[in-house]
Amino acid sequence: MTTLLSRTLLAGACVAASLAVAPALAAGPAPEATTATNPLGGKSSSGAKPAAGAKQITWMELVPPGWDPSKDFKDIDLGKLEDNDPRAAELLQKMQDVLNNAPTNAALNGVQVRLPGFVVPLEESKGLVSEFLLVPYFGACIHTPPPPANQILHVRPRTPVKFRAMDAVWVSGPLRTERNDSMMGASGYSMTAEAVTKYVDGGK
């Protein structure tokens, strides 16, 4: 299985696979240990203290039930393709298209939510970030291929915030099922954040 193809497919396949193991993961793993199957905040909000009026959600709740991004690629032997093979380039594009167009959970549209994640700055001035992507695991969009669009949240804080790339934060505000394309990845959700605060284990 070739590196680039494998990592791209894994970004989506891990999301689907993690739905089956959700109860086994605790809340608040160490930020550096997060992965597509072990996002920040885990899959459980037990012990967390959501802000008044906000529904604390997990990253898996952003994925519509039954969505499996790997279903069209299960019969393909990636081990027979080299990254410089034209067929590999075509397959890679198909995989990325599936992830970039990942469906969102319409039931969460307009809901006031609170979600932990990592900052990927898009607009920054004088150390203050006015626009960023929130991603579920360390290194996403920067050191690894972007997660599926339904695992990326486009955030505009009401007031610019002083955070750096890959800082772990909580964001709170009304969630929108709204697509946005940026140089760092396609997001399926957006939020005008009413609060962006430093991530603390346990949801405090």
Side-chain angles (χ1 to χ4, degrees):
M1 189 176 285
T2 55
T3 302
L4 191 54
L5 284 169
S6 302
R7 289 169 66 196
T8 301
L9 182 57
L10 185 63
C14 283
V15 172
S18 62
L19 291 170
V21 298
L25 298 175
E32 294 79 5
T34 57
T35 64
T37 55
N38 188 35
L40 191 66
K43 311 297 192 309
S44 167
S45 57
S46 59
K49 299 177 181 178
K55 176 184 179 182
Q56 187 158 301
I57 62 172
T58 64
W59 285 94
M60 286 303 100
E61 290 177 72
L62 300 178
V63 180
W67 181 66
D68 181 2
S70 64
K71 66 179 181 180
D72 294 332
F73 307 104
K74 289 180 177 178
D75 296 330
I76 299 175
D77 186 357
L78 300 181
K80 294 182 178 180
L81 297 176
E82 296 295 332
D83 280 342
N84 60 358
D85 188 322
R87 295 173 299 170
E90 181 180 355
L91 181 58
L92 178 62
Q93 186 58 55
K94 288 181 179 179
M95 290 177 177
Q96 195 60 62
D97 287 345
V98 169
L99 301 185
N100 287 346
N101 292 286
T104 54
N105 184 350
L108 290 174
N109 188 42
V111 176
Q112 191 84 7
V113 304
R114 187 168 185 254
L115 180 70
F118 295 94
V119 173
V120 179
L122 295 178
E123 292 290 339
E124 186 175 6
S125 177
K126 297 180 180 179
L128 295 176
V129 178
S130 58
E131 181 181 359
F132 63 91
L133 299 181
L134 189 75
V135 295
Y137 51 92
F138 191 87
C141 294
I142 294 180
H143 303 303
T144 67
N150 58 22
Q151 293 289 279
I152 301 179
L153 173 61
H154 178 238
V155 181
R156 290 182 183 273
R158 291 195 182 279
T159 303
V161 294
K162 194 171 184 178
F163 287 107
R164 298 175 299 176
M166 287 297 120
D167 276 349
V169 300
W170 287 98
V171 299
S172 299
L175 190 67
R176 303 292 180 191
T177 52
E178 181 177 65
R179 182 183 174 86
N180 180 72
D181 292 298
S182 74
M183 62 182 296
M184 303 304 290
S187 54
Y189 294 92
S190 69
M191 175 189 290
T192 299
E194 297 168 356
V196 180
T197 57
K198 181 179 179 180
Y199 176 80
V200 178
D201 189 11
K204 298 178 182 178

